[in-house]
Amino acid sequence: MGPLQIKELLNTSPEKQTVTLKGWVRTKRESKNAIFIALNDGSTIHNIQAVAEPGQFSAELLQTVTTGSCLKITGQLVESLGSGQTVEVKIDDILVYGTADPDTYPLQPKRHSLEFLREIAHLRPRTNTFSAILRIRHALAFAVHQYFNDGGFFYLHTPVITASDAEGAGEMFRVTTLDLNKLPRTEEGNINFKEDFFGREANLTVSGQLEGELGAMALSKIYTFGPTFRAENSNTTRHLAEFWMIEPEMAFFELEDNMDLAEDFVKKVITYALTNCKDDLNFLQNRLAEEEKSKPQNERSLPLLEKLSFVVDNPFERLTYTEAIEILLKSKPHKEKKFQYPVGWGIDLSSEHERYLVEKHFKKPVILTNYPREIKSFYMKLDDDGKTVRAMDVLFPGIGEIIGGSQREENYEKLLGRVHEVGIDPQNLWWYLETRKFGTAPHSGFGLGFERLVQFVTGMGNIRDVIPFPRYPKSAEF
Amino acid sequence: MGPLQIKELLNTSPEKQTVTLKGWVRTKRESKNAIFIALNDGSTIHNIQAVAEPGQFSAELLQTVTTGSCLKITGQLVESLGSGQTVEVKIDDILVYGTADPDTYPLQPKRHSLEFLREIAHLRPRTNTFSAILRIRHALAFAVHQYFNDGGFFYLHTPVITASDAEGAGEMFRVTTLDLNKLPRTEEGNINFKEDFFGREANLTVSGQLEGELGAMALSKIYTFGPTFRAENSNTTRHLAEFWMIEPEMAFFELEDNMDLAEDFVKKVITYALTNCKDDLNFLQNRLAEEEKSKPQNERSLPLLEKLSFVVDNPFERLTYTEAIEILLKSKPHKEKKFQYPVGWGIDLSSEHERYLVEKHFKKPVILTNYPREIKSFYMKLDDDGKTVRAMDVLFPGIGEIIGGSQREENYEKLLGRVHEVGIDPQNLWWYLETRKFGTAPHSGFGLGFERLVQFVTGMGNIRDVIPFPRYPKSAEF
């Protein structure tokens, strides 16, 4: 649908056929014998080179052909004599759709900092780096849908606006249509949320899991893939206020099946990117190498493609939390008191501990299981010892936890007990509890933060650079 | 991944091989010679029949095998002698995962009203009707992603939380982390939104279009597919407060290309459902026929599959708004004063007018174009006459407008003029306006309300029944 794109034209055999190019000028170069215009339409990282003869076009026209201007070029597709491309276009005609004044257009052909580009997020998809990231992000999203569709999962659209708090914690965004200047009050002087749009307090969801479980207890295998929200006031390179989560939930899956699925899933999705995004990944690999040039050799990361292939080719190491603590207690950094945080059974592993396990000890992705119940969510299935739960975290080099999941507690009494323990009002979750009353079954699921995956695959250090329009404290521009 | 599902087992050749079934009991029937259990796992509309001999299991066990209970059955896959299925399972062993007390389980095998099922939305996916709808919804969503991926479009995740109002109208939900009981005030006594999470007022998006255009002006072809929100206090069968929208935006597409894409897109997606959801569509077709039994013959709708094939097989009628008004002015209902609302150039067509054109006059889907500028959005491209804009609405039988789109105004001065005219502060849209300053190009796009499409394909009358957990005034349960 629509005209042939540059990606297709670059793979078309040149037979002097007339072709039409539409895209944005990346660079224009004039030599004695020719004028070279590098045009890009976002379909690929590669530009197509269009060539005109000196004097073929008026100086007036050529003046408007500048970086960022948008052109329609008609010409002949011919073999390229220059290096770096197999075809080029001998220009017959140029139509300038839109100019880009070199004095004000911010994306001149020079190095821009990622910080600066974040301020012009409306234009940064026109850069090589961000177009590559967005194409890879698309490919990963498609691979997710394809993987689950092929596996007999149903995509379930769980609600964004919710009156429940899945995690029993976490700061949430309030959603309201009340006039803040004229808040309705009850007789007792409290805000009367009965007059709010939903007749009660409502928030943006932090997870679709609980509703996802409802779907799994009817359709067997479902997944969600939608936006989720955290109102944490944290300015880090790993957190967004609005991010996309993928949450499969499966009836009849126990912890072992859950781990198998998580490992297979993430490997297949990365493999899809390796197969379908070669050029973009190569570009980002070079970008990363360039960025790390100033670092000492031993602090540089693996080349991007090598890192991805490594994850795809090797089985993840699986061990229990208890075994992990034993390894940490015997570790050199622990003995030499190099860890910032203490190690001991019951602690919530910190990033330094996870990184030691993944990057130093096992040197590959790790799945940790059977965590102490106290540090995990109420809905996780209790182990027989009553001390641990059937949780699993998948830890990746560089980014730490990429997947968190568990077998869910399917026993009504045990689940209700945990709900009480953590201080949730069971009335708020009556519908969740009822799935354990009526036809309950063993079931499991996990969540993967999509942006963490895109970060891992693109090698980008800041999560704000892998989503088109990032939302974080004090920032909702665009 | 995971055990073979009932959908697969029903298509497996029976060779007395040992199989495992996991699912929920739909019905149990005991005769003199056998006990029949119909089991469903949500993978298909069809149940698998499992058969035991009388006396094979204790009365105690069989008492817990009731509608809604969850079982694991081991047995042999054999040819079925009964009608309606080719295979059945001769039971060796039954494990009851979870019971469903017949006195309290609400989904007993009898007819339930859609209204009642809405109140138990956590359980309704276990019914034939809702599992069929959710499977079709999944198939349509997958078809959307596949269509755009095949067509070289990139999936762009536009933000849900936004500080701008795409339509310059529409009631929006406020998003805030301010403590409503202690609202911070400025010196002037106004609410100080600088202290809110984003440092300004923020809302839930009503459309991803404006951000989508930014993507198209870099990547050429993008689409969004995400939740959008309207805080309209309307209790209709056509509106939700939270719904999913699909919005492709394409650089270098003019109105004609936009129409071609919209028609091809909706036909391909419906074709995918026709090919992949035969059994579910047949079930829903029968449901609909049953529902309409009491209606007089001439008020009944076309059989569902016939209606869908009709849309897929026939070219949509394309005409201008002006031509449509002429047809309406000449129409019988207009002459006989049967229309409730007056007809004349400049009116916003009402549902009765659209239905007349689609259902009576052309008897097929219609694309209306070139609407008066006054009744359309500021971002639509002005026609040369200055009176109309390059808008297009796709109208479907039964549901009316399913797609709304336009060529976008790419001229900076004209766009700015319209922004002023409709009273939007241009500073709020500086980033949108800049795409017309730097490398502007002709471009187009449209929006399709996903639930409207699901309604059309499933034949469901109420939009609340085609999304798992509907959000509408006074309702945010589950």
Side-chain angles (χ1 to χ4, degrees):
Chain A
M1 191 66 48
L4 271 198
Q5 293 197 279
I6 288 173
K7 184 182 180 180
E8 297 153 320
L9 285 171
L10 287 174
N11 286 311
T12 301
S13 144
E15 293 160 355
K16 295 194 181 166
Q17 67 271 49
T18 298
V19 293
T20 304
L21 309 177
K22 296 177 178 184
W24 291 269
V25 174
R26 285 294 168 84
T27 55
K28 184 183 65 175
R29 190 163 55 83
E30 302 192 44
S31 78
K32 234 184 235 173
N33 305 316
I35 298 155
F36 301 96
I37 299 169
L39 210 67
N40 188 288
D41 66 1
S43 63
T44 162
I45 192 88
H46 302 297
N47 305 325
I48 195 162
Q49 178 165 281
V51 190
E53 282 171 28
Q56 188 184 349
F57 296 101
S58 71
E60 208 184 344
L61 176 81
L62 287 177
Q63 253 179 12
T64 63
V65 176
T66 57
T67 297
S69 62
C70 188
L71 308 185
K72 175 183 173 181
I73 289 177
T74 320
Q76 293 158 55
L77 194 69
V78 296
E79 206 176 322
S80 177
L81 302 176
S83 65
Q85 66 260 337
T86 54
V87 300
E88 61 184 32
V89 171
K90 206 173 154 306
I91 304 179
D92 288 327
D93 198 27
I94 297 177
L95 173 69
V96 180
Y97 280 135
T99 58
D101 182 354
D103 292 335
T104 54
Y105 185 57
L107 283 178
Q108 294 307 315
K110 59 161 195 164
R111 227 187 116 68
H112 300 284
S113 74
L114 296 173
E115 290 72 22
F116 169 70
L117 291 174
R118 240 168 266 150
E119 287 168 23
I120 51 164
H122 61 311
L123 298 175
R124 67 178 183 172
R126 298 184 187 183
T127 64
N128 282 332
T129 299
F130 284 93
S131 67
I133 293 168
L134 290 175
R135 282 188 296 268
I136 292 169
R137 188 179 165 106
H138 160 77
L140 289 170
F142 185 71
V144 168
H145 286 296
Q146 194 172 56
Y147 179 86
F148 285 124
N149 183 67
D150 289 352
F153 287 69
F154 301 106
Y155 184 23
L156 192 78
H157 287 119
T158 50
V160 170
I161 298 173
T162 171
S164 75
D165 178 349
E167 304 284 336
E171 293 189 67
M172 299 174 83
F173 289 102
R174 176 186 298 283
V175 174
T176 182
T177 55
L178 291 179
D179 182 344
L180 300 195
N181 281 308
K182 284 185 266 174
L183 287 169
R185 299 279 172 180
T186 62
E187 282 181 19
E188 294 79 35
N190 298 320
I191 296 166
N192 187 1
F193 287 105
K194 289 214 170 111
E195 294 195 16
D196 206 348
F197 189 90
F198 295 108
R200 60 203 290 184
E201 292 188 69
N203 300 298
L204 292 180
T205 188
V206 298
S207 159
Q209 178 199 315
L210 301 194
E211 289 90 353
E213 286 186 49
L214 308 179
M217 295 308 280
L219 301 170
S220 285
K221 294 194 281 189
I222 67 91
Y223 71 106
T224 74
F225 187 174
T228 48
F229 305 84
R230 298 281 155 87
E232 276 168 51
N233 201 353
S234 58
N235 270 295
T236 77
T237 57
R238 288 165 46 87
H239 294 91
L240 291 167
E242 175 180 331
F243 56 101
W244 284 66
M245 280 259 278
I246 296 153
E247 298 180 286
E249 288 289 330
M250 300 76 64
F252 315 121
F253 273 51
E254 308 207 3
L255 186 63
E256 202 72 26
D257 310 307
N258 205 20
M259 285 193 274
D260 290 346
L261 180 73
E263 182 169 343
D264 187 59
F265 166 66
V266 73
K267 283 178 169 177
K268 290 273 167 58
V269 166
I270 293 173
T271 301
Y272 182 93
L274 282 168
T275 311
N276 291 277
C277 307
K278 275 205 189 87
D279 294 350
D280 288 324
L281 287 171
N282 271 321
F283 174 84
L284 291 174
Q285 170 167 286
N286 294 339
R287 196 201 75 86
L288 205 59
E290 192 67 32
E291 199 181 67
E292 294 193 338
K293 247 186 187 167
S294 57
K295 285 190 184 176
Q297 193 80 37
N298 63 349
E299 283 179 28
R300 293 183 200 166
S301 27
L302 274 183
L304 186 58
L305 289 160
E306 218 172 292
K307 182 186 78 171
L308 299 179
S309 298
F310 183 81
V311 163
V312 164
D313 294 338
N314 288 284
F316 296 179
E317 189 71 32
R318 300 179 184 192
L319 68 159
T320 65
Y321 168 90
T322 303
E323 290 164 338
I325 292 292
E326 280 162 21
I327 290 170
L328 289 170
L329 286 172
K330 285 184 202 150
S331 73
K332 217 168 140 187
H334 175 71
K335 288 183 179 160
E336 294 177 358
K337 300 196 161 52
K338 292 274 171 67
F339 282 138
Q340 200 188 334
Y341 295 97
V343 177
W345 201 94
I347 63 157
D348 208 351
L349 294 178
S350 60
S351 174
E352 58 180 349
H353 306 139
E354 292 178 349
R355 293 191 69 162
Y356 174 81
L357 291 168
V358 172
E359 293 165 25
K360 303 282 174 200
H361 189 83
F362 290 111
K363 295 192 174 66
K364 57 177 156 168
V366 166
I367 311 184
L368 287 189
T369 62
N370 307 86
Y371 283 75
R373 56 184 279 181
E374 281 73 19
I375 59 173
K376 286 291 180 184
S377 301
F378 74 92
Y379 47 70
M380 297 189 177
K381 184 176 169 68
L382 267 178
D383 280 311
D384 293 339
D385 66 6
K387 282 189 216 162
T388 55
V389 289
R390 310 212 74 197
M392 62 167 212
D393 280 4
V394 181
L395 310 177
F396 261 35
I399 51 167
E401 184 196 321
I402 192 163
I403 287 176
S406 75
Q407 187 168 343
R408 314 308 187 190
E409 183 56 79
E410 86 263 25
N411 180 289
Y412 179 76
E413 301 300 335
K414 286 187 189 169
L415 182 63
L416 187 63
R418 288 290 285 152
V419 164
H420 282 299
E421 259 177 50
V422 299
I424 300 175
D425 181 353
Q427 289 209 315
N428 283 342
L429 291 179
W430 66 273
W431 41 272
Y432 183 68
L433 290 162
E434 278 205 350
T435 54
R436 274 64 171 181
K437 243 187 198 163
F438 302 125
T440 191
H443 64 291
S444 298
F446 62 80
L448 174 142
F450 185 56
E451 282 73 19
R452 293 267 171 92
L453 177 67
V454 182
Q455 266 194 286
F456 183 74
V457 173
T458 59
M460 297 302 290
N462 193 324
I463 199 164
R464 295 174 187 177
D465 295 331
V466 298
I467 190 166
F469 305 100
R471 297 295 183 245
Y472 47 92
K474 305 299 171 206
S475 179
E477 193 66 273
F478 311 107
Chain B
M1 192 64 48
L4 271 197
Q5 293 198 278
I6 287 173
K7 185 182 179 181
E8 296 153 320
L9 285 171
L10 287 173
N11 286 311
T12 301
S13 144
E15 292 160 355
K16 296 196 179 163
Q17 66 272 48
T18 298
V19 294
T20 303
L21 309 177
K22 296 177 178 183
W24 291 269
V25 175
R26 284 295 169 84
T27 55
K28 184 183 66 176
R29 190 163 54 84
E30 303 193 42
S31 80
K32 235 183 233 173
N33 305 316
I35 299 155
F36 301 96
I37 299 170
L39 210 67
N40 188 289
D41 66 1
S43 63
T44 162
I45 192 88
H46 301 298
N47 305 324
I48 195 162
Q49 177 165 281
V51 190
E53 283 171 26
Q56 189 184 349
F57 296 100
S58 71
E60 209 184 341
L61 176 81
L62 287 177
Q63 253 177 15
T64 63
V65 176
T66 58
T67 296
S69 62
C70 189
L71 308 185
K72 174 183 173 181
I73 288 176
T74 321
Q76 293 157 55
L77 195 69
V78 297
E79 205 177 323
S80 177
L81 302 174
S83 64
Q85 66 262 337
T86 53
V87 301
E88 61 184 33
V89 172
K90 206 172 153 307
I91 304 178
D92 289 326
D93 198 27
I94 297 177
L95 173 69
V96 180
Y97 280 136
T99 58
D101 181 355
D103 292 336
T104 52
Y105 185 57
L107 284 177
Q108 293 307 313
K110 58 162 193 163
R111 228 187 115 68
H112 300 284
S113 75
L114 295 173
E115 291 72 21
F116 169 70
L117 292 173
R118 239 168 267 150
E119 288 168 23
I120 51 164
H122 61 310
L123 298 175
R124 67 179 183 174
R126 297 185 187 182
T127 64
N128 282 332
T129 299
F130 284 93
S131 67
I133 293 167
L134 290 176
R135 281 188 297 266
I136 292 169
R137 188 179 165 106
H138 160 76
L140 289 170
F142 184 70
V144 168
H145 287 296
Q146 194 172 57
Y147 179 87
F148 286 123
N149 183 67
D150 289 352
F153 288 69
F154 301 106
Y155 184 23
L156 192 78
H157 287 119
T158 50
V160 170
I161 298 172
T162 170
S164 74
D165 178 349
E167 305 284 335
E171 294 189 65
M172 297 174 84
F173 289 102
R174 176 187 298 283
V175 174
T176 181
T177 55
L178 292 178
D179 182 344
L180 300 194
N181 281 307
K182 284 186 264 175
L183 288 169
R185 300 279 171 179
T186 62
E187 281 181 20
E188 294 79 35
N190 298 320
I191 296 166
N192 187 0
F193 287 105
K194 288 214 171 110
E195 294 196 16
D196 207 347
F197 190 90
F198 296 108
R200 60 204 288 184
E201 291 189 68
N203 299 298
L204 292 180
T205 188
V206 298
S207 160
Q209 178 199 316
L210 300 194
E211 289 91 352
E213 286 186 50
L214 308 180
M217 296 307 281
L219 301 170
S220 284
K221 294 194 281 189
I222 66 90
Y223 71 106
T224 74
F225 188 174
T228 48
F229 305 84
R230 298 282 155 87
E232 276 169 51
N233 200 354
S234 59
N235 270 294
T236 77
T237 58
R238 289 165 45 87
H239 294 91
L240 290 168
E242 174 179 331
F243 56 101
W244 285 65
M245 281 260 278
I246 296 153
E247 297 181 286
E249 288 290 329
M250 300 75 64
F252 315 120
F253 272 51
E254 309 208 1
L255 187 63
E256 202 72 27
D257 310 307
N258 205 19
M259 285 194 274
D260 290 347
L261 180 73
E263 182 169 343
D264 186 59
F265 166 66
V266 73
K267 283 178 169 176
K268 289 274 167 57
V269 166
I270 293 174
T271 301
Y272 183 93
L274 282 169
T275 311
N276 291 277
C277 307
K278 275 204 189 87
D279 295 349
D280 288 324
L281 286 171
N282 271 321
F283 174 83
L284 291 174
Q285 170 166 287
N286 294 339
R287 196 201 74 87
L288 205 60
E290 191 67 31
E291 198 181 67
E292 294 193 337
K293 245 184 186 167
S294 57
K295 285 189 184 176
Q297 193 80 38
N298 63 347
E299 285 180 26
R300 295 183 200 165
S301 27
L302 274 183
L304 187 58
L305 288 161
E306 218 171 293
K307 182 186 78 172
L308 299 180
S309 298
F310 183 80
V311 164
V312 164
D313 294 339
N314 289 285
F316 296 179
E317 189 71 33
R318 300 179 184 192
L319 68 159
T320 65
Y321 168 92
T322 303
E323 289 164 339
I325 292 291
E326 281 161 20
I327 290 169
L328 289 169
L329 286 172
K330 284 183 202 148
S331 73
K332 217 168 140 188
H334 176 71
K335 288 183 178 162
E336 294 176 357
K337 300 196 163 48
K338 292 275 171 64
F339 283 138
Q340 201 189 333
Y341 295 96
V343 177
W345 201 94
I347 63 158
D348 207 350
L349 294 178
S350 60
S351 174
E352 58 180 349
H353 306 139
E354 293 178 349
R355 293 192 67 161
Y356 174 82
L357 292 168
V358 173
E359 293 165 26
K360 303 281 175 204
H361 189 83
F362 290 112
K363 295 192 174 66
K364 58 177 155 167
V366 166
I367 311 184
L368 288 188
T369 61
N370 307 85
Y371 284 75
R373 56 184 280 181
E374 281 75 18
I375 59 172
K376 287 290 181 187
S377 301
F378 74 93
Y379 48 70
M380 296 189 178
K381 184 176 169 69
L382 268 178
D383 280 312
D384 293 340
D385 66 6
K387 283 189 214 160
T388 54
V389 289
R390 310 212 75 196
M392 62 168 211
D393 280 3
V394 182
L395 311 177
F396 261 35
I399 51 166
E401 183 196 323
I402 192 163
I403 287 176
S406 76
Q407 187 167 343
R408 314 306 187 190
E409 182 57 78
E410 86 264 22
N411 180 288
Y412 179 76
E413 300 301 334
K414 286 186 188 169
L415 182 63
L416 187 63
R418 289 289 287 150
V419 164
H420 281 299
E421 259 176 50
V422 299
I424 301 176
D425 181 353
Q427 290 208 314
N428 283 341
L429 292 179
W430 66 273
W431 41 272
Y432 184 68
L433 290 163
E434 279 205 350
T435 54
R436 276 63 173 182
K437 244 188 199 162
F438 302 126
T440 191
H443 63 290
S444 299
F446 63 81
L448 174 141
F450 185 55
E451 282 73 20
R452 292 268 171 91
L453 177 67
V454 182
Q455 266 194 286
F456 183 74
V457 172
T458 60
M460 296 303 290
N462 193 322
I463 199 165
R464 295 175 187 176
D465 295 331
V466 298
I467 190 167
F469 306 100
R471 298 294 182 244
Y472 47 91
K474 306 298 170 207
S475 180
E477 193 65 273
F478 311 107

